[in-house]
Amino acid sequence: MKKLLQTTLIFVSVLIFSQKQEIIKERGNLSNPKGNIYKSLEVIDQRADQNIGEMPFGDNKEMREITFPSTAGDFLGKWYADSNHKGGKYEMVLVLKHLKTYLGETDGKETEGDIEFSAQAFMKEGDQYKFIYKKDTVYSFKSRNISDVMMKNIPVVFAMFLKKTYTVKPRENAVALDALTDYEGYVRNNSAAYKNDQLKDGIYLNHEAFMNQTPEPGKYILEKNAKGSVTKAVKEENGKKDRISAGEMYGYVENGKPYKQTYSGFQELNKNDRGFYLISNWGYLVPARNSSLFISVGGGTNGGMYGGIAVGLVGLFEKSMRQSRMRREDKFPVYIDPLTGEYDFSEEYEQ
């Protein structure tokens, strides 16, 4: 009788626990429309905190733990395999650094919520890994059914990330597995732009060239307008002129001082122990037309398609994209991500 009672209590405890979980589900597919070169997806889960978050669900607003069906690796690996039946030559490795959900303030009948997401993608060839892409951001939502909206968008965040990797060419420099433990630190310690005291003068067409300190070959002369702004770079060799417009440049270095191309023109780059940064803000660096991003994530007559995911539009926008402080007088250090060259607005939005 005692054993039966213990068994019953264990069963009830397991049942109660399972009722307090909300399971992340696949939404749409992860297929590569341009042809798949990756035969499989492996996940290295480096999250310091494996708990994604708890949110209220149902009419009674019961708090439930958000979780993967098993592990993040099993879930994403199976989803990828189901979406890409034709095997490729290489393996893709997703390093999951962070995944958290938070509820924010309620305004009337709508509540705000955030998904914090950080991941890196690599192409694996043998025992070597080539960096593809990284995303480290916060996605913000506002809805009457905030818990349901965020649950539906967790797989969308992964889908957006993976579909972005399909469009990015892996870096040429390969690294061993142990470098993936802290790949950003590895890049800082091994990139010429970080290691060298003096930067090379010249024209740089992309972030990778700047990090490797490989400017365009030849002696380019910068041409400036009456305001002193660079308009183009010109190189003359063998009687022929080669021109690079300002819009084609990632940046340039003049007399050892780096300048980066932005929405508002070239801005001076500074450097400290943390990395390269601009003294600026969102409004000066990104055009207003990119201030919001809407993704389809559910059923509805006004929905669209994103990677096979049909939806009624949910206002999904990156927190850093909010324009309320656009072109304000306050400026902050805006760091350049060493892996992607993208802007890090965290210091501005912590104010």
Side-chain angles (χ1 to χ4, degrees):
M1 182 65 181
K2 183 178 179 182
K3 185 175 182 179
L4 177 61
L5 180 60
Q6 289 176 335
T7 303
T8 302
L9 289 173
I10 292 173
F11 175 76
V12 171
S13 298
V14 171
L15 181 62
I16 292 173
F17 180 76
S18 64
Q19 289 174 337
K20 292 185 179 180
Q21 287 186 327
E22 194 71 16
I23 307 299
I24 298 170
K25 299 179 177 64
E26 297 178 12
R27 292 188 62 80
N29 64 69
L30 301 177
S31 61
N32 184 350
K34 296 184 178 180
N36 183 32
I37 67 169
Y38 302 109
K39 60 185 177 181
S40 63
L41 174 66
E42 175 188 348
V43 176
I44 299 176
D45 194 343
Q46 292 184 352
R47 289 177 295 158
D49 185 357
Q50 296 285 314
N51 180 29
I52 300 172
E54 294 183 354
M55 303 187 74
F57 291 89
D59 294 336
N60 60 351
K61 301 300 180 183
E62 179 187 29
M63 295 300 294
R64 300 177 192 171
E65 178 188 1
I66 298 172
T67 183
F68 290 106
S70 52
T71 65
D74 289 344
F75 171 74
L76 293 170
K78 180 180 181 302
W79 188 9
Y80 182 88
D82 291 342
S83 303
N84 296 279
H85 300 295
K86 294 182 179 180
K89 182 179 179 181
Y90 307 103
E91 292 180 65
M92 181 187 290
V93 176
L94 186 154
V95 179
L96 184 58
K97 309 287 287 188
H98 189 71
L99 180 64
K100 297 289 288 185
T101 60
Y102 296 99
L103 287 180
E105 297 180 355
T106 298
D107 182 11
K109 295 182 179 181
E110 294 187 318
T111 301
E112 294 182 351
D114 291 339
I115 297 176
E116 294 182 354
F117 175 78
S118 179
Q120 301 168 358
F122 297 83
M123 183 184 79
K124 181 181 179 182
E125 186 176 7
D127 60 354
Q128 296 292 296
Y129 299 80
K130 294 183 177 181
F131 176 76
I132 304 174
Y133 184 64
K134 166 198 171 181
K135 193 67 176 177
D136 183 2
T137 192
V138 179
Y139 294 100
S140 296
F141 306 82
K142 191 173 184 179
S143 174
R144 292 186 177 187
N145 303 311
I146 188 64
S147 298
D148 292 333
V149 165
M150 291 178 66
M151 276 299 298
K152 290 176 181 178
N153 273 291
I154 290 174
V156 174
V157 168
F158 279 102
M160 288 192 299
F161 175 78
L162 287 169
K163 286 178 179 289
K164 173 66 177 180
T165 66
Y166 301 156
T167 68
V168 180
K169 183 180 178 181
R171 298 277 174 87
E172 290 298 325
N173 299 331
V175 298
L177 178 62
D178 58 357
L180 272 59
T181 302
D182 180 14
Y183 185 68
E184 186 169 324
Y186 175 88
V187 169
R188 291 178 187 275
N189 293 332
N190 291 276
S191 295
Y194 280 93
K195 292 196 306 180
N196 299 347
D197 294 330
Q198 182 72 27
L199 298 175
K200 292 183 181 179
D201 282 6
I203 308 302
Y204 296 86
L205 297 186
N206 54 60
H207 174 68
E208 187 174 5
F210 177 76
M211 293 295 291
N212 293 331
Q213 284 295 280
T214 52
E216 289 299 289
K219 186 176 181 179
Y220 281 88
I221 305 300
L222 294 171
E223 293 191 1
K224 303 179 181 181
N225 59 22
K227 296 181 179 180
S229 301
V230 171
T231 58
K232 65 173 74 72
V234 180
K235 176 181 71 172
E236 187 170 356
E237 289 183 350
N238 301 321
K240 295 182 179 180
K241 288 187 176 182
D242 181 43
R243 296 176 176 85
I244 301 176
S245 68
E248 295 177 280
M249 301 179 198
Y250 172 82
Y252 66 89
V253 176
E254 184 180 33
N255 298 323
K257 189 65 183 176
Y259 298 84
K260 186 182 183 307
Q261 175 69 286
T262 74
Y263 166 62
S264 301
F266 287 101
Q267 294 190 28
E268 184 177 326
L269 268 178
N270 302 283
K271 183 184 178 184
N272 59 20
D273 291 340
R274 181 174 166 182
F276 289 93
Y277 65 95
L278 304 164
I279 299 298
S280 191
N281 64 46
W282 176 267
Y284 285 96
L285 299 177
V286 180
R289 66 177 178 270
N290 291 332
S291 64
S292 62
L293 175 65
F294 292 93
I295 300 294
S296 296
V297 294
T301 57
N302 296 322
M305 291 294 295
Y306 178 81
I309 304 173
V311 290
L313 288 177
V314 171
L316 170 64
F317 51 95
E318 293 196 17
K319 190 177 237 179
S320 60
M321 290 182 177
R322 292 173 178 169
Q323 297 291 298
S324 60
R325 290 184 263 183
M326 188 175 186
R327 288 195 178 276
R328 63 186 183 182
E329 294 182 0
D330 297 336
K331 294 184 180 181
F332 301 85
V334 179
Y335 284 87
I336 309 300
D337 189 291
L339 305 189
T340 64
E342 296 176 352
Y343 300 120
D344 177 1
F345 294 97
S346 58
E347 294 219 359
E348 176 175 356
Y349 286 88
E350 285 171 359
Q351 304 300 318

mmCIF file of all heavy atoms in Angstrom, residues 102-143:
data_model
loop_
_atom_site.group_PDB
_atom_site.id
_atom_site.type_symbol
_atom_site.label_atom_id
_atom_site.label_comp_id
_atom_site.label_asym_id
_atom_site.label_seq_id
_atom_site.Cartn_x
_atom_site.Cartn_y
_atom_site.Cartn_z
ATOM 1 N N TYR A 102 11.705 37.446 -21.572
ATOM 2 C CA TYR A 102 11.330 38.298 -20.453
ATOM 3 C C TYR A 102 10.047 39.036 -20.780
ATOM 4 O O TYR A 102 9.829 39.446 -21.925
ATOM 5 C CB TYR A 102 12.425 39.332 -20.163
ATOM 6 C CG TYR A 102 13.744 38.744 -19.726
ATOM 7 C CD1 TYR A 102 14.777 38.584 -20.640
ATOM 8 C CD2 TYR A 102 13.954 38.352 -18.413
ATOM 9 C CE1 TYR A 102 16.001 38.054 -20.259
ATOM 10 C CE2 TYR A 102 15.176 37.819 -18.013
ATOM 11 C CZ TYR A 102 16.188 37.666 -18.933
ATOM 12 O OH TYR A 102 17.392 37.145 -18.548
ATOM 13 N N LEU A 103 9.215 39.221 -19.765
ATOM 14 C CA LEU A 103 8.031 40.061 -19.908
ATOM 15 C C LEU A 103 8.366 41.478 -19.455
ATOM 16 O O LEU A 103 9.111 41.674 -18.497
ATOM 17 C CB LEU A 103 6.867 39.517 -19.078
ATOM 18 C CG LEU A 103 6.191 38.244 -19.596
ATOM 19 C CD1 LEU A 103 5.061 37.845 -18.662
ATOM 20 C CD2 LEU A 103 5.657 38.449 -21.009
ATOM 21 N N GLY A 104 7.755 42.466 -20.160
ATOM 22 C CA GLY A 104 7.977 43.851 -19.805
ATOM 23 C C GLY A 104 6.728 44.501 -19.259
ATOM 24 O O GLY A 104 5.900 43.853 -18.605
ATOM 25 N N GLU A 105 6.553 45.767 -19.538
ATOM 26 C CA GLU A 105 5.440 46.534 -19.009
ATOM 27 C C GLU A 105 4.160 46.264 -19.796
ATOM 28 O O GLU A 105 4.191 45.896 -20.965
ATOM 29 C CB GLU A 105 5.768 48.025 -19.053
ATOM 30 C CG GLU A 105 6.955 48.411 -18.189
ATOM 31 C CD GLU A 105 7.254 49.900 -18.267
ATOM 32 O OE1 GLU A 105 6.578 50.594 -19.067
ATOM 33 O OE2 GLU A 105 8.149 50.358 -17.540
ATOM 34 N N THR A 106 3.033 46.462 -19.129
ATOM 35 C CA THR A 106 1.720 46.354 -19.761
ATOM 36 C C THR A 106 1.146 47.743 -19.950
ATOM 37 O O THR A 106 1.093 48.541 -19.015
ATOM 38 C CB THR A 106 0.761 45.504 -18.909
ATOM 39 O OG1 THR A 106 1.292 44.176 -18.797
ATOM 40 C CG2 THR A 106 -0.623 45.438 -19.551
ATOM 41 N N ASP A 107 0.727 48.034 -21.184
ATOM 42 C CA ASP A 107 0.143 49.323 -21.528
ATOM 43 C C ASP A 107 -1.266 49.071 -22.039
ATOM 44 O O ASP A 107 -1.453 48.606 -23.168
ATOM 45 C CB ASP A 107 0.992 50.026 -22.589
ATOM 46 C CG ASP A 107 0.444 51.401 -22.950
ATOM 47 O OD1 ASP A 107 -0.450 51.891 -22.237
ATOM 48 O OD2 ASP A 107 0.914 51.972 -23.955
ATOM 49 N N GLY A 108 -2.259 49.342 -21.202
ATOM 50 C CA GLY A 108 -3.637 49.020 -21.569
ATOM 51 C C GLY A 108 -3.828 47.519 -21.584
ATOM 52 O O GLY A 108 -3.609 46.840 -20.584
ATOM 53 N N LYS A 109 -4.187 46.991 -22.756
ATOM 54 C CA LYS A 109 -4.395 45.554 -22.884
ATOM 55 C C LYS A 109 -3.192 44.840 -23.497
ATOM 56 O O LYS A 109 -3.230 43.624 -23.685
ATOM 57 C CB LYS A 109 -5.642 45.294 -23.739
ATOM 58 C CG LYS A 109 -6.939 45.772 -23.095
ATOM 59 C CD LYS A 109 -8.127 45.426 -23.970
ATOM 60 C CE LYS A 109 -9.426 45.875 -23.303
ATOM 61 N NZ LYS A 109 -10.620 45.527 -24.136
ATOM 62 N N GLU A 110 -2.154 45.597 -23.814
ATOM 63 C CA GLU A 110 -0.984 45.004 -24.461
ATOM 64 C C GLU A 110 0.210 44.961 -23.514
ATOM 65 O O GLU A 110 0.428 45.866 -22.715
ATOM 66 C CB GLU A 110 -0.616 45.781 -25.725
ATOM 67 C CG GLU A 110 -1.658 45.682 -26.829
ATOM 68 C CD GLU A 110 -1.182 46.319 -28.105
ATOM 69 O OE1 GLU A 110 -0.566 47.412 -28.030
ATOM 70 O OE2 GLU A 110 -1.420 45.756 -29.185
ATOM 71 N N THR A 111 0.965 43.874 -23.633
ATOM 72 C CA THR A 111 2.146 43.679 -22.804
ATOM 73 C C THR A 111 3.376 43.541 -23.694
ATOM 74 O O THR A 111 3.307 42.947 -24.768
ATOM 75 C CB THR A 111 2.001 42.414 -21.931
ATOM 76 O OG1 THR A 111 0.852 42.554 -21.097
ATOM 77 C CG2 THR A 111 3.229 42.209 -21.049
ATOM 78 N N GLU A 112 4.482 44.095 -23.230
ATOM 79 C CA GLU A 112 5.733 43.984 -23.959
ATOM 80 C C GLU A 112 6.493 42.732 -23.506
ATOM 81 O O GLU A 112 6.361 42.291 -22.368
ATOM 82 C CB GLU A 112 6.606 45.218 -23.733
ATOM 83 C CG GLU A 112 6.024 46.490 -24.304
ATOM 84 C CD GLU A 112 6.944 47.686 -24.099
ATOM 85 O OE1 GLU A 112 7.948 47.528 -23.363
ATOM 86 O OE2 GLU A 112 6.670 48.748 -24.668
ATOM 87 N N GLY A 113 7.306 42.212 -24.415
ATOM 88 C CA GLY A 113 8.146 41.064 -24.083
ATOM 89 C C GLY A 113 9.384 41.046 -24.953
ATOM 90 O O GLY A 113 9.374 41.562 -26.075
ATOM 91 N N ASP A 114 10.465 40.475 -24.433
ATOM 92 C CA ASP A 114 11.737 40.414 -25.157
ATOM 93 C C ASP A 114 12.212 38.977 -25.295
ATOM 94 O O ASP A 114 12.035 38.152 -24.385
ATOM 95 C CB ASP A 114 12.825 41.195 -24.421
ATOM 96 C CG ASP A 114 12.578 42.694 -24.435
ATOM 97 O OD1 ASP A 114 11.829 43.155 -25.319
ATOM 98 O OD2 ASP A 114 13.119 43.385 -23.560
ATOM 99 N N ILE A 115 12.851 38.699 -26.443
ATOM 100 C CA ILE A 115 13.608 37.466 -26.640
ATOM 101 C C ILE A 115 15.061 37.856 -26.831
ATOM 102 O O ILE A 115 15.405 38.525 -27.809
ATOM 103 C CB ILE A 115 13.123 36.667 -27.860
ATOM 104 C CG1 ILE A 115 11.674 36.216 -27.677
ATOM 105 C CG2 ILE A 115 14.021 35.438 -28.078
ATOM 106 C CD1 ILE A 115 11.096 35.504 -28.902
ATOM 107 N N GLU A 116 15.908 37.467 -25.894
ATOM 108 C CA GLU A 116 17.339 37.706 -26.022
ATOM 109 C C GLU A 116 17.961 36.501 -26.720
ATOM 110 O O GLU A 116 17.756 35.357 -26.307
ATOM 111 C CB GLU A 116 17.989 37.903 -24.652
ATOM 112 C CG GLU A 116 17.521 39.158 -23.934
ATOM 113 C CD GLU A 116 18.211 39.356 -22.598
ATOM 114 O OE1 GLU A 116 18.973 38.440 -22.187
ATOM 115 O OE2 GLU A 116 18.007 40.406 -21.970
ATOM 116 N N PHE A 117 18.708 36.778 -27.781
ATOM 117 C CA PHE A 117 19.224 35.690 -28.623
ATOM 118 C C PHE A 117 20.664 35.973 -29.021
ATOM 119 O O PHE A 117 21.005 37.081 -29.430
ATOM 120 C CB PHE A 117 18.362 35.564 -29.878
ATOM 121 C CG PHE A 117 18.854 34.548 -30.878
ATOM 122 C CD1 PHE A 117 18.633 33.193 -30.681
ATOM 123 C CD2 PHE A 117 19.527 34.953 -32.024
ATOM 124 C CE1 PHE A 117 19.082 32.262 -31.608
ATOM 125 C CE2 PHE A 117 19.983 34.031 -32.949
ATOM 126 C CZ PHE A 117 19.755 32.689 -32.747
ATOM 127 N N SER A 118 21.505 34.957 -28.889
ATOM 128 C CA SER A 118 22.891 35.076 -29.316
ATOM 129 C C SER A 118 23.361 33.726 -29.839
ATOM 130 O O SER A 118 23.248 32.706 -29.147
ATOM 131 C CB SER A 118 23.790 35.526 -28.163
ATOM 132 O OG SER A 118 25.139 35.612 -28.595
ATOM 133 N N ALA A 119 23.852 33.723 -31.080
ATOM 134 C CA ALA A 119 24.313 32.468 -31.690
ATOM 135 C C ALA A 119 25.365 32.763 -32.750
ATOM 136 O O ALA A 119 25.434 33.870 -33.296
ATOM 137 C CB ALA A 119 23.145 31.707 -32.301
ATOM 138 N N GLN A 120 26.187 31.767 -33.017
ATOM 139 C CA GLN A 120 27.196 31.839 -34.071
ATOM 140 C C GLN A 120 27.070 30.603 -34.949
ATOM 141 O O GLN A 120 26.666 29.538 -34.475
ATOM 142 C CB GLN A 120 28.608 31.906 -33.467
ATOM 143 C CG GLN A 120 28.837 33.088 -32.550
ATOM 144 C CD GLN A 120 30.120 32.958 -31.754
ATOM 145 O OE1 GLN A 120 30.842 31.965 -31.850
ATOM 146 N NE2 GLN A 120 30.410 33.966 -30.934
ATOM 147 N N ALA A 121 27.403 30.746 -36.228
ATOM 148 C CA ALA A 121 27.327 29.615 -37.158
ATOM 149 C C ALA A 121 28.688 29.403 -37.811
ATOM 150 O O ALA A 121 29.381 30.372 -38.168
ATOM 151 C CB ALA A 121 26.262 29.855 -38.217
ATOM 152 N N PHE A 122 29.046 28.138 -37.978
ATOM 153 C CA PHE A 122 30.314 27.760 -38.589
ATOM 154 C C PHE A 122 30.090 26.651 -39.614
ATOM 155 O O PHE A 122 29.164 25.849 -39.479
ATOM 156 C CB PHE A 122 31.311 27.252 -37.538
ATOM 157 C CG PHE A 122 31.700 28.270 -36.516
ATOM 158 C CD1 PHE A 122 30.898 28.514 -35.413
ATOM 159 C CD2 PHE A 122 32.876 28.996 -36.656
ATOM 160 C CE1 PHE A 122 31.247 29.456 -34.460
ATOM 161 C CE2 PHE A 122 33.238 29.941 -35.694
ATOM 162 C CZ PHE A 122 32.430 30.166 -34.599
ATOM 163 N N MET A 123 30.937 26.602 -40.618
ATOM 164 C CA MET A 123 30.975 25.472 -41.532
ATOM 165 C C MET A 123 32.080 24.532 -41.069
ATOM 166 O O MET A 123 33.226 24.958 -40.865
ATOM 167 C CB MET A 123 31.257 25.935 -42.964
ATOM 168 C CG MET A 123 31.244 24.793 -43.981
ATOM 169 S SD MET A 123 31.690 25.326 -45.661
ATOM 170 C CE MET A 123 33.485 25.399 -45.510
ATOM 171 N N LYS A 124 31.737 23.269 -40.902
ATOM 172 C CA LYS A 124 32.717 22.275 -40.462
ATOM 173 C C LYS A 124 33.182 21.451 -41.651
ATOM 174 O O LYS A 124 32.390 20.893 -42.390
ATOM 175 C CB LYS A 124 32.097 21.351 -39.406
ATOM 176 C CG LYS A 124 33.068 20.297 -38.878
ATOM 177 C CD LYS A 124 32.388 19.399 -37.860
ATOM 178 C CE LYS A 124 33.343 18.337 -37.346
ATOM 179 N NZ LYS A 124 32.688 17.421 -36.381
ATOM 180 N N GLU A 125 34.486 21.404 -41.819
ATOM 181 C CA GLU A 125 35.105 20.599 -42.876
ATOM 182 C C GLU A 125 36.221 19.789 -42.249
ATOM 183 O O GLU A 125 37.261 20.324 -41.895
ATOM 184 C CB GLU A 125 35.634 21.498 -43.988
ATOM 185 C CG GLU A 125 36.161 20.739 -45.184
ATOM 186 C CD GLU A 125 36.595 21.662 -46.310
ATOM 187 O OE1 GLU A 125 36.609 22.900 -46.090
ATOM 188 O OE2 GLU A 125 36.916 21.162 -47.383
ATOM 189 N N GLY A 126 35.982 18.488 -42.091
ATOM 190 C CA GLY A 126 36.936 17.671 -41.357
ATOM 191 C C GLY A 126 36.933 18.069 -39.902
ATOM 192 O O GLY A 126 35.887 18.080 -39.252
ATOM 193 N N ASP A 127 38.098 18.426 -39.377
ATOM 194 C CA ASP A 127 38.174 18.887 -37.988
ATOM 195 C C ASP A 127 38.433 20.392 -37.916
ATOM 196 O O ASP A 127 38.881 20.898 -36.887
ATOM 197 C CB ASP A 127 39.258 18.117 -37.225
ATOM 198 C CG ASP A 127 40.644 18.295 -37.845
ATOM 199 O OD1 ASP A 127 40.742 18.918 -38.928
ATOM 200 O OD2 ASP A 127 41.627 17.823 -37.253
ATOM 201 N N GLN A 128 38.134 21.099 -39.000
ATOM 202 C CA GLN A 128 38.326 22.543 -39.057
ATOM 203 C C GLN A 128 36.983 23.266 -39.200
ATOM 204 O O GLN A 128 36.030 22.716 -39.781
ATOM 205 C CB GLN A 128 39.239 22.919 -40.233
ATOM 206 C CG GLN A 128 40.659 22.381 -40.096
ATOM 207 C CD GLN A 128 41.417 23.049 -38.962
ATOM 208 O OE1 GLN A 128 41.664 24.249 -38.986
ATOM 209 N NE2 GLN A 128 41.822 22.255 -37.968
ATOM 210 N N TYR A 129 36.929 24.497 -38.681
ATOM 211 C CA TYR A 129 35.685 25.262 -38.659
ATOM 212 C C TYR A 129 35.920 26.652 -39.258
ATOM 213 O O TYR A 129 36.890 27.328 -38.913
ATOM 214 C CB TYR A 129 35.169 25.404 -37.223
ATOM 215 C CG TYR A 129 34.863 24.086 -36.559
ATOM 216 C CD1 TYR A 129 35.887 23.306 -36.014
ATOM 217 C CD2 TYR A 129 33.557 23.617 -36.466
ATOM 218 C CE1 TYR A 129 35.610 22.088 -35.406
ATOM 219 C CE2 TYR A 129 33.270 22.414 -35.854
ATOM 220 C CZ TYR A 129 34.299 21.652 -35.336
ATOM 221 O OH TYR A 129 34.023 20.458 -34.741
ATOM 222 N N LYS A 130 35.003 27.058 -40.132
ATOM 223 C CA LYS A 130 35.074 28.377 -40.745
ATOM 224 C C LYS A 130 33.851 29.195 -40.329
ATOM 225 O O LYS A 130 32.716 28.751 -40.495
ATOM 226 C CB LYS A 130 35.137 28.261 -42.267
ATOM 227 C CG LYS A 130 36.417 27.611 -42.781
ATOM 228 C CD LYS A 130 36.454 27.576 -44.291
ATOM 229 C CE LYS A 130 37.763 26.983 -44.804
ATOM 230 N NZ LYS A 130 37.808 26.963 -46.289
ATOM 231 N N PHE A 131 34.102 30.376 -39.815
ATOM 232 C CA PHE A 131 33.021 31.233 -39.337
ATOM 233 C C PHE A 131 32.116 31.666 -40.485
ATOM 234 O O PHE A 131 32.582 32.031 -41.560
ATOM 235 C CB PHE A 131 33.600 32.465 -38.641
ATOM 236 C CG PHE A 131 32.558 33.458 -38.206
ATOM 237 C CD1 PHE A 131 31.777 33.219 -37.082
ATOM 238 C CD2 PHE A 131 32.350 34.626 -38.925
ATOM 239 C CE1 PHE A 131 30.818 34.135 -36.680
ATOM 240 C CE2 PHE A 131 31.396 35.551 -38.529
ATOM 241 C CZ PHE A 131 30.630 35.306 -37.402
ATOM 242 N N ILE A 132 30.785 31.644 -40.231
ATOM 243 C CA ILE A 132 29.805 32.077 -41.221
ATOM 244 C C ILE A 132 29.123 33.369 -40.779
ATOM 245 O O ILE A 132 29.175 34.385 -41.468
ATOM 246 C CB ILE A 132 28.720 31.002 -41.460
ATOM 247 C CG1 ILE A 132 29.344 29.669 -41.862
ATOM 248 C CG2 ILE A 132 27.744 31.478 -42.541
ATOM 249 C CD1 ILE A 132 28.330 28.527 -41.974
ATOM 250 N N TYR A 133 28.475 33.317 -39.615
ATOM 251 C CA TYR A 133 27.645 34.455 -39.222
ATOM 252 C C TYR A 133 27.396 34.413 -37.722
ATOM 253 O O TYR A 133 27.497 33.357 -37.081
ATOM 254 C CB TYR A 133 26.310 34.411 -39.978
ATOM 255 C CG TYR A 133 25.406 35.596 -39.723
ATOM 256 C CD1 TYR A 133 25.784 36.878 -40.096
ATOM 257 C CD2 TYR A 133 24.166 35.429 -39.114
ATOM 258 C CE1 TYR A 133 24.963 37.967 -39.860
ATOM 259 C CE2 TYR A 133 23.333 36.509 -38.880
ATOM 260 C CZ TYR A 133 23.738 37.781 -39.255
ATOM 261 O OH TYR A 133 22.921 38.850 -39.010
ATOM 262 N N LYS A 134 27.057 35.593 -37.180
ATOM 263 C CA LYS A 134 26.741 35.716 -35.761
ATOM 264 C C LYS A 134 25.578 36.684 -35.591
ATOM 265 O O LYS A 134 25.454 37.665 -36.333
ATOM 266 C CB LYS A 134 27.950 36.262 -35.002
ATOM 267 C CG LYS A 134 27.628 36.754 -33.593
ATOM 268 C CD LYS A 134 28.708 37.659 -33.050
ATOM 269 C CE LYS A 134 28.275 38.304 -31.748
ATOM 270 N NZ LYS A 134 29.299 39.212 -31.191
ATOM 271 N N LYS A 135 24.707 36.397 -34.627
ATOM 272 C CA LYS A 135 23.649 37.338 -34.262
ATOM 273 C C LYS A 135 23.593 37.419 -32.753
ATOM 274 O O LYS A 135 23.551 36.401 -32.063
ATOM 275 C CB LYS A 135 22.286 36.883 -34.803
ATOM 276 C CG LYS A 135 21.209 37.967 -34.729
ATOM 277 C CD LYS A 135 21.521 39.119 -35.664
ATOM 278 C CE LYS A 135 20.417 40.157 -35.661
ATOM 279 N NZ LYS A 135 20.752 41.319 -36.526
ATOM 280 N N ASP A 136 23.599 38.654 -32.255
ATOM 281 C CA ASP A 136 23.560 38.880 -30.812
ATOM 282 C C ASP A 136 22.656 40.076 -30.587
ATOM 283 O O ASP A 136 23.077 41.217 -30.767
ATOM 284 C CB ASP A 136 24.974 39.156 -30.296
ATOM 285 C CG ASP A 136 25.033 39.320 -28.797
ATOM 286 O OD1 ASP A 136 23.975 39.177 -28.150
ATOM 287 O OD2 ASP A 136 26.127 39.590 -28.268
ATOM 288 N N THR A 137 21.398 39.838 -30.217
ATOM 289 C CA THR A 137 20.431 40.930 -30.208
ATOM 290 C C THR A 137 19.270 40.647 -29.263
ATOM 291 O O THR A 137 19.199 39.586 -28.636
ATOM 292 C CB THR A 137 19.898 41.171 -31.637
ATOM 293 O OG1 THR A 137 19.178 42.395 -31.682
ATOM 294 C CG2 THR A 137 18.990 40.044 -32.086
ATOM 295 N N VAL A 138 18.372 41.610 -29.179
ATOM 296 C CA VAL A 138 17.135 41.474 -28.413
ATOM 297 C C VAL A 138 15.974 41.799 -29.344
ATOM 298 O O VAL A 138 15.943 42.868 -29.950
ATOM 299 C CB VAL A 138 17.097 42.433 -27.201
ATOM 300 C CG1 VAL A 138 15.771 42.281 -26.448
ATOM 301 C CG2 VAL A 138 18.272 42.157 -26.275
ATOM 302 N N TYR A 139 15.029 40.881 -29.478
ATOM 303 C CA TYR A 139 13.815 41.112 -30.257
ATOM 304 C C TYR A 139 12.689 41.468 -29.293
ATOM 305 O O TYR A 139 12.484 40.783 -28.285
ATOM 306 C CB TYR A 139 13.439 39.860 -31.055
ATOM 307 C CG TYR A 139 14.432 39.517 -32.135
ATOM 308 C CD1 TYR A 139 15.393 38.527 -31.930
ATOM 309 C CD2 TYR A 139 14.411 40.181 -33.352
ATOM 310 C CE1 TYR A 139 16.305 38.206 -32.919
ATOM 311 C CE2 TYR A 139 15.329 39.864 -34.342
ATOM 312 C CZ TYR A 139 16.273 38.882 -34.124
ATOM 313 O OH TYR A 139 17.187 38.569 -35.100
ATOM 314 N N SER A 140 11.987 42.534 -29.607
ATOM 315 C CA SER A 140 10.931 43.026 -28.718
ATOM 316 C C SER A 140 9.563 42.895 -29.363
ATOM 317 O O SER A 140 9.412 43.098 -30.565
ATOM 318 C CB SER A 140 11.186 44.496 -28.354
ATOM 319 O OG SER A 140 12.379 44.618 -27.614
ATOM 320 N N PHE A 141 8.570 42.576 -28.547
ATOM 321 C CA PHE A 141 7.209 42.344 -29.002
ATOM 322 C C PHE A 141 6.226 43.108 -28.125
ATOM 323 O O PHE A 141 6.527 43.442 -26.984
ATOM 324 C CB PHE A 141 6.853 40.846 -28.938
ATOM 325 C CG PHE A 141 7.816 39.961 -29.671
ATOM 326 C CD1 PHE A 141 9.001 39.565 -29.075
ATOM 327 C CD2 PHE A 141 7.538 39.526 -30.954
ATOM 328 C CE1 PHE A 141 9.895 38.757 -29.746
ATOM 329 C CE2 PHE A 141 8.429 38.724 -31.630
ATOM 330 C CZ PHE A 141 9.604 38.329 -31.032
ATOM 331 N N LYS A 142 5.044 43.331 -28.671
ATOM 332 C CA LYS A 142 3.978 43.950 -27.903
ATOM 333 C C LYS A 142 2.657 43.384 -28.401
ATOM 334 O O LYS A 142 2.324 43.491 -29.575
ATOM 335 C CB LYS A 142 3.997 45.475 -28.069
ATOM 336 C CG LYS A 142 3.086 46.214 -27.096
ATOM 337 C CD LYS A 142 3.298 47.715 -27.207
ATOM 338 C CE LYS A 142 2.462 48.461 -26.183
ATOM 339 N NZ LYS A 142 2.678 49.933 -26.279
ATOM 340 N N SER A 143 1.892 42.758 -27.507
ATOM 341 C CA SER A 143 0.672 42.088 -27.927
ATOM 342 C C SER A 143 -0.238 41.834 -26.731
ATOM 343 O O SER A 143 0.209 41.820 -25.582
ATOM 344 C CB SER A 143 1.005 40.746 -28.595
ATOM 345 O OG SER A 143 -0.152 40.003 -28.885
#
